[in-house]
Amino acid sequence: MHYLLDIPAMIATSYVLGFLFYGFYRQYNARIQRRWGPSIFQNLYDNLKFLFKSETLSHGPMFFFGPMIIVSGAVTTVLFIPFLKDSIWLQGFSQHGNLILIIYLFVLGPLGNALAVGSSGNPFGVMGVTRGLTRLMGLEVPFFLGLALVMLQYETVSVHAIMAAQSSIGEWTLVTNPIAFLVILLPFIASMNAAPFDVVGAPQEVYAGPRVEFGGRFLGVLMTQNMMLSVGKLVLLVDLFLGGATNLFILIAKAFALFLLITSISAVFPRLKTEQAVDFFWKVPLGLGVVGVVATVWLQ
Amino acid sequence: MYRHSHCEGFQQDPTAQELGLAGPEGGLGPLEQLVAWMRKRSLFVLAFGTGCGAIEMRPLMTSRFDAERFGIVNAATPRQADVLVISGYLAIKTLKRVIRSYEQMQEPKYVIALGSCTINGGMYWDSYNTVKQVHRYLPVDMYINGCMPRPEALIEGFVALQGRIARGEPGGYQRYRERIDWYKANQRRVLGDNMLPDYTYDWYHAGGIA
Ligand code: SF4
């Protein structure tokens, strides 16, 4: 019974926060470029419009199942991330999962993408997926190293336990282990598909990349999952580094602060090439990560 | 080949444009109104840069005129677009590509044609290789006149189109569905042997939403 209320609440929260954050992102970018920009609900409009469009396109069953795999991956990921600390609400299935499971679920999205795009046979789509997988190679290593640093520090893989260990600002992982945060931050920007690492969907080069063949409803579904998963990822970082949140307002404030940091970084940097991005990931965040491991293991 | 004898000149086909399709009776229901509002607020544009008018699309989309205020943004591919903008004279060679792009768009979709060239040929009215009246080949929803129309005029055209969408008036895509044979006959007349292969449009004959 509790699940029946909790799960729709989590999905709704991540969706609403998703379109509001992205609406803010578009407006923020517009102001940086000295224009007014769209309303904050623009992403909701776009999303619903796409969901109400027709879909006349088919490239066989895999083309249909690909987006479904991506969406189910996003929804499950969101459901395994505890949104609040010390509360029975907005927990989903997080009691039964842990950080390692979440890491696994993150990979479902690229997998579904590759399956759907592969069956569509569009060369731009394939180029987008190739770029995505190359970037994944670059970003996964430092990203997981950063998560491993956090797990090592708290000697647990449970997100709940990690949250519980940070009860005051002085105990936030951001303060106690800033290197881990730095190691994760840059790959995290890439996994949010923000500049300067947005090589996958680069509209000028590969025409929306993996999404090139999707129009109408499929695109609406993909947009929805993207917004939800982004919020899920933000909440995960809030849980791991900013001590979680005891109520929804604190959660929104912390997630928003993180989002603002990422958008500010991505608003002012132009896109890197794919190989530059991978190079960068394997030099800067990975190097920092190695320093972090040495520091955590030897200095403790 | 396109010959002068085929040139449609300034004669309109009276049945084509005057007879619109009937709008919904008794206005839109609440849910339809909501959907129409979403559609109106979010127009993804596929700018087909066919002629010199394409130049004015850039200031429209960027900081000075900022079409994103109205929810108008560029789409990367025809599949994601709602509005096809034909910006200027349309050569016969280009017409084929434009038709192809248009048919790939997902419904509801709209066509905006810019400049005198799309309305009556403009300064290319006696050219052997441009089409004169675009609405004979594609269902144009909105013409924006001028040579070339300024971004202000474009914004006005877009806003007029948004008004139509919000009122639920039947769009050109419905006309295209209803009169597919008429459009195809016209296209065949100018494209001749270059006509698009049947499989690109035969689903239009299948009826209903595929
Ligand atoms: S109407 Fe004028 S500006 Fe537009 S395509 Fe024709 S000649 Fe060029």
Side-chain angles (χ1 to χ4, degrees):
Chain A
M1 187 58 213
H2 179 67
Y3 277 138
L4 279 187
L5 285 176
D6 201 32
I7 285 165
M10 270 179 103
I11 292 175
T13 314
S14 54
Y15 181 70
V16 171
L17 285 187
F19 74 71
L20 285 179
F21 277 15
Y22 273 98
F24 168 81
Y25 168 75
R26 286 172 72 170
Q27 220 169 47
Y28 185 68
N29 259 354
R31 296 300 157 85
I32 289 177
Q33 296 162 3
R34 299 181 118 205
R35 55 196 174 88
W36 282 109
S39 93
I40 195 142
F41 296 109
Q42 188 62 46
N43 266 58
L44 176 70
Y45 301 151
D46 287 353
N47 192 224
L48 290 184
K49 177 204 69 179
F50 276 124
L51 289 176
F52 281 108
K53 281 190 88 161
S54 69
E55 182 66 67
T56 49
L57 204 61
S58 178
H59 290 290
M62 219 46 238
F63 189 71
F64 173 77
F65 284 121
M68 298 307 133
I69 294 176
I70 304 175
V71 175
S72 42
V75 172
T76 351
T77 316
V78 166
L79 291 183
F80 275 111
I81 297 172
F83 274 40
L84 297 180
K85 157 162 103 169
D86 307 330
S87 159
I88 55 161
W89 290 105
L90 297 181
Q91 300 298 312
F93 300 116
S94 58
Q95 296 293 354
H96 309 292
N98 57 36
L99 205 46
I100 297 193
L101 179 73
I102 295 173
I103 292 175
Y104 268 109
L105 287 174
F106 274 152
V107 187
L108 264 179
L111 181 73
N113 242 339
L115 286 175
V117 170
S119 67
S120 83
N122 187 312
F124 289 118
V126 175
M127 261 165 78
V129 168
T130 320
R131 283 165 165 237
L133 293 180
T134 316
R135 187 187 66 177
L136 204 65
M137 234 164 58
L139 76 87
E140 297 259 281
V141 180
F143 193 63
F144 293 158
L145 195 63
L147 290 180
L149 277 175
V150 177
M151 295 188 238
L152 205 66
Q153 185 189 350
Y154 292 101
E155 294 177 343
T156 172
V157 289
S158 149
V159 183
H160 283 283
I162 294 176
M163 258 203 294
Q166 319 169 40
S167 43
S168 65
I169 291 197
E171 291 171 353
W172 286 5
T173 321
L174 178 62
V175 179
T176 55
N177 197 353
I179 292 185
F181 183 70
L182 283 182
V183 171
I184 282 200
L185 182 67
L186 295 164
F188 184 68
I189 295 176
S191 80
M192 297 279 280
N193 221 346
F197 307 113
D198 53 346
V199 285
V200 179
Q204 293 86 355
E205 296 154 28
V206 287
Y207 305 100
R211 292 184 178 185
V212 68
E213 278 291 303
F214 297 105
R217 270 171 226 148
F218 282 153
L219 189 63
V221 166
L222 288 180
M223 262 178 97
T224 315
Q225 72 84 20
N226 185 30
M227 295 194 285
M228 286 173 58
L229 191 59
S230 304
V231 171
K233 286 175 187 167
L234 283 170
V235 172
L236 181 68
L237 279 215
V238 169
D239 287 353
L240 293 182
F241 288 98
L242 304 180
T246 41
N247 65 42
L248 204 53
F249 295 107
I250 300 181
L251 178 75
I252 294 174
K254 285 181 177 175
F256 184 75
L258 203 56
F259 188 70
L260 196 62
L261 175 67
I262 290 166
T263 40
S264 309
I265 293 176
S266 76
V268 290
F269 284 103
R271 185 184 308 130
L272 294 175
K273 285 194 224 161
T274 318
E275 63 268 25
Q276 285 173 332
V278 175
D279 264 10
F280 176 79
F281 281 131
W282 282 14
K283 277 180 195 148
V284 180
L286 197 61
L288 259 178
V290 171
V291 174
V293 170
V294 171
T296 326
V297 174
W298 281 356
L299 302 186
Q300 258 178 8
Chain B
M1 259 325 279
Y2 190 69
R3 298 257 152 64
H4 241 260
S5 55
H6 294 161
C7 170
E8 65 275 64
F10 290 99
Q11 306 138 27
Q12 279 260 3
D13 183 326
T15 53
Q17 285 307 293
E18 322 291 279
L19 281 176
L21 298 176
E25 277 159 36
L28 298 173
L31 181 66
E32 284 164 332
Q33 257 173 12
L34 194 68
V35 175
W37 159 258
M38 303 290 174
R39 283 184 179 150
K40 168 192 151 182
R41 290 295 312 181
S42 155
L43 293 175
F44 279 45
V45 172
L46 178 70
F48 207 105
T50 52
C52 13
I55 282 293
E56 295 291 347
M57 291 300 290
R58 275 75 198 162
L60 178 70
M61 291 299 177
T62 46
S63 296
R64 173 105 190 255
F65 292 97
D66 185 23
E68 206 181 354
R69 282 176 296 159
F70 303 93
I72 299 166
V73 280
N74 267 322
T77 82
R79 302 214 195 280
Q80 302 170 358
D82 305 297
V83 184
L84 173 66
V85 173
I86 301 173
S87 45
Y89 62 83
L90 198 53
I92 290 172
K93 213 172 174 179
T94 326
L95 175 68
K96 186 174 169 184
R97 277 76 191 174
V98 172
I99 294 170
R100 201 63 204 268
S101 308
Y102 177 72
E103 285 172 359
Q104 284 185 39
M105 287 161 64
Q106 305 294 317
E107 291 177 354
K109 50 189 174 184
Y110 311 92
V111 181
I112 291 184
L114 313 184
S116 348
C117 285
T118 52
I119 300 174
N120 55 20
M123 61 187 259
Y124 299 96
W125 68 276
D126 61 348
S127 158
Y128 65 98
N129 69 346
T130 56
V131 298
K132 288 356 166 236
Q133 298 170 354
V134 175
H135 64 251
R136 294 174 71 97
Y137 312 98
L138 282 173
V140 178
D141 284 283
M142 190 65 66
Y143 275 119
I144 301 172
N145 65 354
C147 175
M148 52 199 44
R150 296 263 311 146
E152 292 94 328
L154 295 187
I155 288 180
E156 200 175 334
F158 271 107
V159 170
L161 179 68
Q162 287 179 334
R164 275 196 185 187
I165 298 171
R167 284 193 301 276
E169 288 174 21
Y173 67 98
Q174 279 147 311
R175 228 183 308 133
Y176 198 66
R177 247 178 207 291
E178 293 282 312
R179 309 221 167 91
I180 181 76
D181 291 328
W182 186 78
Y183 283 110
K184 284 296 160 191
N186 283 346
Q187 290 169 6
R188 201 168 287 120
R189 239 176 78 201
V190 289
L191 292 175
D193 295 341
N194 261 330
M195 185 62 188
L196 304 137
D198 287 348
Y199 66 81
T200 55
Y201 59 86
D202 51 8
W203 58 273
Y204 268 104
H205 293 286
I209 293 198

